[in-house]
C-alpha cells in the first residue's frame, strides 16, 4: 500500500471516528489562520521560472465575466447524505462561487465504492475537469496518469497561474519534496498543513487514569510495569478486557510496538491492513521479520493466556466496537485517537471515568523509540488534478490557486465571516454555529456543512480542537515524550511497475501475516513456528516488496 493510500485511509478512519463524538463543548479557541482581509503570502523561491500571469497574495476576486462550471470527481465522506446532500451545498463552496463566478459540480461516489467508481470513470475515457484521488486510486500514481493521458502535467500552469500554491509548497523543504514526483512532475494541487508546525500525533496509547488513582498506581513505564497494571485492573477492578486490541492483533501507529523496535502504521482491524515498513539510516525494513516482532508475539500470547487481553478482540472491527469495549467498564488500556477520550466518557456509566494518554512503553527505563505516529505536511490523497478533458486548464489552475490565498484559506477552514466565525484580535474565532450547533451537529459535521473538511487547500488542524479537554489537547506530549519519527518512512511514491509488483506480493503477505499473528497470539499456532512464518514470508516474495520500497525511498532522498 502506498503512503498516499495510507494517508487517505487514515483520514477516512479519523473522519468516521470523530463524527462519533457526541457534543463539541462550548469553549472557544484562537487559531493561527490568516485573516480574510490579509493579502500577504510568502514569495515563491527563485528556483522556479518567474514569468507569471497571476500575482501572489491577491484577495479573492472574480475570475470570469461569465459563469463557469468545472466538473469534479471527489470521493465522499459519511457527511455526504447525512449533513449535506452534496459538496455543492457547502457554504464555503457557495461563497467562493459568488466571489469567483466559478462553480464546482461534484460527482461523488457512494461512500465505500470509491475505487470501483474511479476505475469505471477512468475506463470510460470521459473525465471530469478535475479529479481527486489520483494518488490513491490510479495504479502508478501521478506520473503514470500523465503518461496515460488522463491528467495534465501542471508544472507550467502552477508556475504561471498558481503563485499562492507555489508559495505554500515552498513553505519548507519537506512540503516542496512531497509536492513533486521523483521525475519532477507536479500533477495535482495538494492538501498542505497550514502553519509553522505539523499537526502533533492524534493517536496513541491511553489508560484509565481514574483506575490508576483508585489503586494508588503510577503510570506504567516499561512493558513489565504495564503487565502489572493490567493484572491489577483484572484482579481489583474486575476488568475482563484489561488491554483492548482490534481484530488485527497488533495495536496501530507504533504506540505500543515502538519500544520493541518495529513500526505499525494503521490499526489493521479497523481502518486498513496493517503496514510494517520502516527505515533505519536509509535501509528499508519489514517489521514481522525483525526480532521485536517475535518479542511482541511472545509477550502478548502470555498476556492473552493470563486474561490480560480482550478475549473477544477479533470482534473489534470498527470504532463503534472500540467505543463499546472501552466504555464498558471492563477495559483499561488501548491505542486510541485523542478525540475519542470524550466519546468514551460520554458513553460510560462511571462518573469518574477519565482516559489519559500514556507514554509508549519500553523494555528498560530511559530507552528511546524512533518509530512513532507522526502526521504529514501533505495529504496526497486529497489532491486535485486537472484532467486532459478540461477545456480551460489555465482558469482551473487560477481557481484552485485561490484556495491557497490567505483569504481562501480562511474561507475554507472557517466559513463565512459573521456566520461561522468572527475576527477577534486579528484571528478567526468560531461561533456557536460550529461549536454549539443548534441542530446538534458535531464540530466535524458542522465544519463539513459550513466550511470544508478535506480538500486541496491549506488545512488548519487547530480548528478541530475547540472546546476539547486538556487531557485530549495535551495527549501528544505523552506520546512524544520518549519517541521520535527518525525511522518512519517518508511520503514516497511507486512507479506503475513497482505498484503492480508490490500489490501482487503484499496482498497475500498481508493476509498471511495477520492470520498467523492472531493464531500465535491466541495460542492456536505455537510460537516455535515463528521461524517458519518468517521463511514463509520470504518464500512469498517479501524481498521484492522491500526492494520496491527501497527504490522509492532512494528516489525520495535524491529529490
Amino acid at each position: 500500500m502506498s503512503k498516499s493510500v495510507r494517508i487517505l485511509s487514515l483520514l477516512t478512519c479519523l473522519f468516521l471516528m470523530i463524527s462519533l463524538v457526541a457534543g463539541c463543548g462550548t469553549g472557544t479557541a484562537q487559531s493561527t489562520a490568516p485573516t480574510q482581509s490579509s493579502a500577504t503570502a510568502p514569495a515563491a523561491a527563485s528556483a522556479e521560472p518567474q514569468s507569471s500571469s497571476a500575482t501572489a497574495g491577491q484577495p479573492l476576486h472574480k475570475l470570469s465575466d461569465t459563469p463557469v462550471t468545472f466538473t469534479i470527481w471527489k470521493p465522499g465522506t459519511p457527511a455526504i447524505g447525512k449533513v449535506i446532500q452534496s459538496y455543492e451545498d457547502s457554504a464555503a463552496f457557495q461563497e467562493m462561487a459568488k466571489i469567483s463566478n466559478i462553480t464546482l459540480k461534484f460527482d461523488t461516489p457512494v461512500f465505500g465504492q470509491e475505487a470501483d467508481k474511479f476505475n469505471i470513470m477512468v475506463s470510460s475515457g470521459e473525465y471530469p475537469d478535475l479529479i481527486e484521488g489520483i494518488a490513491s486510486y490510479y495504479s502508478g500514481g501521478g506520473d503514470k496518469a500523465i503518461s496515460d493521458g488522463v491528467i495534465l502535467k501542471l508544472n507550467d500552469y502552477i508556475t504561471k497561474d498558481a503563485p499562492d500554491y507555489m508559495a505554500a509548497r515552498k513553505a519548507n523543504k519537506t512540503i516542496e519534496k512531497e509536492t513533486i514526483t521523483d521525475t519532477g512532475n507536479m500533477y495535482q494541487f495538494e492538501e498542505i498543513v497550514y502553519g509553522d508546525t505539523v499537526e502533533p500525533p492524534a493517536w496513541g496509547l491511553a489508560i484509565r487514569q481514574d483506575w490508576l488513582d483508585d489503586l494508588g498506581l503510577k503510570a506504567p513505564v516499561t512493558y513489565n510495569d504495564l503487565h502489572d497494571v493490567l493484572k491489577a485492573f483484572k484482579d481489583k477492578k474486575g476488568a475482563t478486557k484489561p488491554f483492548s486490541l482490534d481484530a488485527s492483533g497488533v495495536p496501530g501507529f507504533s504506540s505500543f510496538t515502538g519500544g520493541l523496535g518495529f513500526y505499525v502504521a494503521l490499526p489493521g482491524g479497523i481502518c486498513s491492513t496493517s503496514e510494517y515498513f520502516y527505515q533505519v539510516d536509509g535501509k528499508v525494513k519489514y517489521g514481522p521479520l525483525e526480532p521485536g516482532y517475535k518479542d511482541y508475539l511472545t509477550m502478548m500470547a502470555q498476556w492473552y493466556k493470563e486474561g490480560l487481553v480482550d478475549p473477544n478482540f477479533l470482534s473489534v472491527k470498527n470504532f463503534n466496537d472500540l467505543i463499546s469495549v472501552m466504555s464498558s467498564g471492563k477495559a483499561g488500556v488501548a491505542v486510541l485517537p485523542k478525540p475519542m477520550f470524550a466519546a468514551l466518557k460520554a458513553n460510560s456509566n462511571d462518573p469518574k471515568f477519565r482516559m489519559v494518554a500514556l507514554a509508549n512503553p519500553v523494555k528498560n527505563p530511559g530507552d528511546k523509540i524512533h518509530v512513532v505516529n507522526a502526521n504529514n505536511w501533505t495529504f496526497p490523497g486529497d489532491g486535485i488534478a486537472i484532467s486532459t478533458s478540461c477545456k480551460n486548464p489555465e482558469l482551473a489552475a487560477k481557481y484552485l490557486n485561490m484556495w491557497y490565498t490567505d483569504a481562501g484559506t480562511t474561507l475554507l477552514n472557517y466559513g463565512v465571516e459573521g456566520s461561522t466565525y468572527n475576527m477577534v484580535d486579528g484571528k478567526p474565532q468560531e461561533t456557536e454555529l460550529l461549536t454549539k450547533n443548534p441542530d446538534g451537529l458535531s464540530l466535524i459535521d458542522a465544519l463539513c456543512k459550513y466550511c470544508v473538511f478535506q480538500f486541496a487547500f491549506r488545512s488548519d488542524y487547530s480548528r478541530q480542537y475547540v472546546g476539547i479537554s486538556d487531557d485530549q489537547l495535551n495527549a501528544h506530549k505523552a506520546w512524544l515524550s520518549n519517541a521520535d519519527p527518525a525511522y518512519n518512512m517518508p511520503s514516497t511514491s511507486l512507479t506503475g511497475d513497482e505498484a503492480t509488483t508490490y500489490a501482487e506480493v503484499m496482498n497475500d503477505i498481508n493476509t498471511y501475516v495477520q492470520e498467523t499473528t492472531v493464531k500465535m497470539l491466541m495460542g492456536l499456532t505455537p510460537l516455535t513456528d515463528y521461524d517458519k512464518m518468517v521463511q514463509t514470508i520470504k518464500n512469498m516474495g517479501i524481498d521484492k516488496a522491500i526492494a520496491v520500497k527501497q527504490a522509492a525511498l532512494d528516489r525520495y532522498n535524491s529529490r
Side-chain angles (χ1 to χ4, degrees), residues 114-157:
E114 295 86 357
D116 290 340
K117 296 299 184 182
F118 181 89
N119 290 333
I120 291 173
M121 180 263 292
V122 171
S123 297
S124 72
E126 298 179 1
Y127 315 130
D129 299 303
L130 309 174
I131 302 174
E132 177 180 298
I134 292 293
S136 299
Y137 303 115
Y138 200 86
S139 179
D143 285 337
K144 188 67 160 55
I146 291 173
S147 64
D148 288 347
V150 177
I151 63 173
L152 296 173
K153 178 178 177 179
L154 298 182
N155 296 49
D156 289 341
Y157 296 108

Side-chain angles (χ1 to χ4, degrees), residues 69-73 127-131 385-392 396:
T69 297
F70 285 120
T71 55
I72 177 172
W73 190 91
Y127 315 130
D129 299 303
L130 309 174
I131 302 174
I386 301 176
S387 82
T388 52
S389 295
C390 183
K391 292 182 173 58
N392 195 337

Side-chain angles (χ1 to χ4, degrees), residues 179-190:
T179 53
I180 194 166
T181 70
D182 297 323
T183 59
N185 289 330
M186 285 184 276
Y187 69 94
Q188 64 178 2
F189 287 74
E190 306 269 7

